[in-house]
Amino acid sequence: MGILAALRSQTKKATIGAMITASHNPEEDNGIKLIDPAGEMLEASWEAHATFLANVVDEELPSAIKTIVSKENVATDVTATVFVAMDTRSSSQRLSEALQCGVQTVGGTCKDYGLLTTPQLHYMVRCVNSNGQYGVATEEGYFQKLTAAFCKLQKQLVKKADSTYKPTLTLDAANGVGAQKAYKLKNYLGDYLSVGICNDGTSGKLNHMCGADFVKVQQKPADGMTLQSNARCASFDGDADRIVYCYADKDGKFHLMDGDKIATLVAGYLQELVHKSGLSLNLGLVQTAYANGSSTAYITDTLKVPVACAATGVKHLHHRALEFDLGVYFEANGHGTVLFSDNASSQIQSAAADGSLPDTQRDAAAQLCTVMDLINQTVGDAISDMLLVELILATYGWEINNWDSAYIDLPNRQLKVKVKDRTVITTANAERTALTPDGLQQAVDDLVAKYKNGRSFVRPSGTEDVVRVYAEADTQTNADKLAQEVGLAVYNMAGGIGDPPQPQ
């Protein structure tokens, strides 16, 4: 992958990023994320090269490299530059060194940032390739850009008389690299936000019984986190590119604030600012089929914000978000950000400096300018997203239960069905419709029709021979029943193996 990163750098004549991490996976796993010049994820066509190169036997590596060089017309006379960083896994240092050896074998140069969150490395790559226009390509530059915007916006707030917002937050850092960076972040926040950090890596294992993925899937707080009534808690994942919030209500019941909840909060806030600015900007929100039906209805019917549905996977959401002037995208798992088009950025900056505009319009445009600096537009960033959520809650004077009450999630259930070959299931309509095997979609439709507010879809996993089932309905009992019945249909019609899905 070091070699591939160098070839990509030569092809693009720009710096490429290489992040050693397995994100939300268990500590014993590891992997690599390659980052393209604008700080975005690696172009899809090059993912095929990565798979090809990773599976080549050593003796055939030289010819495999030549194949890629020829196919992509790689400019081998250009010196490759690769920015490298890693998470806190015990295997990361060794893999980072191996990656750098790969870059050097083809005459490339590396800049080793050591320990960073994944979004921080995305930021560094964007900065250097924009010749500093996006920011300063250092960790200090990253923190200063985000927190200067956060503190400026906080300073401008006029506190509401009925505000219930308290500037305190408990953070579950997943025993990962996000903990180290959160401790650094605290030094920049002044009195605007106090962050108490648990699962900071001094004891427990990375992502074990903690972190955003655990909290989202298990629907319960991380180990080591005690929920106080209506007090905000947030969880990062292992490389800090996902965030979810949670809290306990006055009766002690657990509530999850996932990516859908964050997306609706952000979209509503931005829509207000765009409206106040008087600018004609096209704001849209991108979701996947996993987005809760209640969130989609709230966005469409209450916020009146257009919704687009994309296939599962951040790269698909990112691509669809580019179709809007302001594109908000979040997966339910808490990975997301906001993209501002060049047109939007230009209009916002011009309006903020236009003395002929009424104060209210110019002030709203100026706020949007600052919000652009608060958001890491390259990729989902737990630190940036956390600061954005806290700013919006402070602006509205809301505590977390006020945010949660905007809409109530439909009860839902996810399960997976083991199958002999997941490729027998193909989908369309952003994975919401099963094309094969014949009759499966009709079976799903017939089952859904039995339940009030019923919705279900099936999709093959991208990583293992299982089919993932999602179902929602008016009650948890009905959602559980629907998921199991759809799971049985998949098991019977798509070559299920092992035990069939059991009632929850």
Side-chain angles (χ1 to χ4, degrees):
M1 290 305 99
I3 294 168
L4 189 70
L7 297 180
R8 182 67 175 163
S9 173
Q10 290 174 320
T11 303
K12 302 299 287 185
K13 297 181 174 62
T15 298
I16 295 296
M19 179 72 195
I20 306 292
T21 182
S23 191
H24 57 280
N25 283 32
E27 186 169 348
E28 55 270 21
D29 292 354
N30 219 332
I32 181 169
K33 296 179 178 181
L34 296 183
I35 302 166
D36 260 357
E40 74 276 47
M41 293 180 172
L42 181 68
E43 188 180 305
S45 64
W46 277 67
E47 290 181 11
H49 295 327
T51 303
F52 168 59
L53 213 51
N55 288 288
V56 161
V57 295
D58 289 355
E59 294 77 18
E60 295 173 13
L61 183 59
S63 63
I65 294 167
K66 285 178 183 175
T67 300
I68 296 171
V69 168
S70 173
K71 186 173 183 181
E72 297 293 343
N73 197 23
V74 176
T76 53
D77 57 333
V78 173
T79 300
T81 308
V82 180
F83 281 4
V84 182
M86 62 182 181
D87 70 8
T88 54
R89 287 172 166 81
S90 59
S91 59
S92 289
Q93 180 65 48
R94 177 172 57 84
L95 293 174
S96 176
E97 290 167 3
L99 179 123
Q100 291 178 60
C101 286
V103 174
Q104 290 154 8
T105 58
V106 288
T109 61
C110 292
K111 178 166 184 176
D112 185 2
Y113 279 92
L115 292 171
L116 287 180
T117 69
T118 294
Q120 284 181 318
L121 186 61
H122 282 258
Y123 165 88
M124 307 299 175
V125 172
R126 173 79 163 261
C127 287
V128 73
N129 287 317
S130 68
N131 295 315
Q133 282 191 317
Y134 191 68
V136 180
T138 63
E139 192 170 16
E140 176 81 3
Y142 167 87
F143 281 123
Q144 284 186 343
K145 180 181 179 184
L146 266 58
T147 58
F150 176 75
C151 293
K152 181 179 179 180
L153 290 162
Q154 287 276 5
K155 191 175 181 180
Q156 293 170 350
L157 289 183
V158 178
K159 188 172 181 180
K160 297 189 175 183
D162 59 350
S163 173
T164 56
Y165 177 80
K166 299 180 188 68
T168 56
L169 173 72
T170 301
L171 174 65
D172 154 34
N175 291 314
V177 67
Q180 295 182 17
K181 306 312 176 186
Y183 278 119
K184 288 187 177 182
L185 174 71
K186 283 161 62 86
N187 298 323
Y188 294 85
L189 297 177
D191 295 330
Y192 293 120
L193 183 63
S194 173
V195 183
I197 303 169
C198 65
N199 297 320
D200 66 357
T202 52
S203 52
K205 281 180 68 177
L206 176 70
N207 292 325
H208 180 64
M209 307 289 285
C210 62
D213 200 55
F214 172 84
V215 174
K216 165 69 177 166
V217 173
Q218 300 300 323
Q219 303 269 316
K220 64 181 182 182
D223 271 16
M225 182 177 268
T226 304
L227 302 188
Q228 304 295 331
S229 176
N230 292 331
R232 298 186 310 287
C233 297
S235 291
F236 290 177
D237 72 333
D239 64 338
D241 65 357
R242 296 184 185 183
I243 183 171
V244 297
Y245 275 72
C246 66
Y247 75 102
D249 63 23
K250 63 183 188 317
D251 298 320
K253 183 184 175 186
F254 174 84
H255 293 256
L256 174 72
M257 309 295 286
D258 62 6
D260 294 342
K261 290 280 188 179
I262 296 171
T264 54
L265 182 74
V266 171
Y269 172 75
L270 291 175
Q271 187 195 45
E272 283 184 26
L273 283 181
V274 169
H275 180 72
K276 286 178 183 175
S277 74
L279 294 170
S280 297
L281 295 173
N282 178 21
L283 169 69
L285 194 151
V286 186
Q287 298 182 312
T288 70
Y290 284 105
N292 194 276
S294 286
S295 76
T296 308
Y298 174 74
I299 297 158
T300 305
D301 301 337
T302 304
L303 297 182
K304 309 291 186 188
V305 170
V307 175
C309 190
T312 304
V314 175
K315 60 191 174 190
H316 300 299
L317 283 93
H318 191 99
H319 184 73
R320 284 300 299 273
L322 291 168
E323 297 173 11
F324 299 97
D325 288 323
L326 278 75
V328 181
Y329 75 83
F330 272 86
E331 289 193 291
N333 63 26
H335 188 138
T337 188
V338 183
L339 305 182
F340 293 79
S341 70
D342 290 343
N343 170 54
S345 299
S346 176
Q347 281 197 50
I348 291 166
Q349 288 163 356
S350 295
D354 187 348
S356 69
L357 288 177
D359 287 350
T360 52
Q361 287 183 226
R362 194 170 61 252
D363 289 349
Q367 278 183 266
L368 279 168
C369 261
T370 312
V371 168
M372 282 195 289
D373 282 343
L374 176 57
I375 294 168
N376 185 350
Q377 295 182 52
T378 63
V379 74
D381 183 340
I383 290 174
S384 168
D385 290 340
M386 178 180 79
L387 294 178
L388 181 59
V389 166
E390 293 299 320
L391 168 74
I392 298 170
L393 293 178
T395 302
Y396 290 164
W398 284 358
E399 205 21 279
I400 194 164
N401 56 315
N402 305 116
W403 171 21
D404 194 18
S405 65
Y407 68 88
I408 306 300
D409 273 335
L410 283 168
N412 57 88
R413 175 66 62 194
Q414 295 183 46
L415 56 83
K416 50 189 182 182
V417 181
K418 287 185 179 180
V419 292
K420 188 176 180 181
D421 176 11
R422 68 182 185 272
T423 63
V424 301
I425 289 192
T426 58
T427 64
N429 189 25
E431 301 177 315
R432 291 173 291 185
T433 304
L435 298 178
T436 60
D438 287 345
L440 178 58
Q441 186 58 50
Q442 187 59 55
V444 173
D445 291 343
D446 292 345
L447 291 167
V448 165
K450 293 165 47 182
Y451 295 95
K452 185 178 179 182
N453 297 332
R455 183 173 74 93
S456 183
F457 67 91
V458 302
R459 57 177 286 269
S461 166
T463 54
E464 53 185 326
D465 271 325
V466 298
V467 175
R468 302 191 186 280
V469 175
Y470 176 89
E472 61 188 31
D474 60 332
T475 67
Q476 189 63 58
T477 299
N478 284 344
D480 292 347
K481 281 183 183 177
L482 178 56
Q484 192 241 345
E485 290 170 2
V486 171
L488 272 176
V490 170
Y491 184 89
N492 292 328
M493 301 176 73
I497 57 175
D499 294 331
Q502 302 298 313
Q504 296 289 332

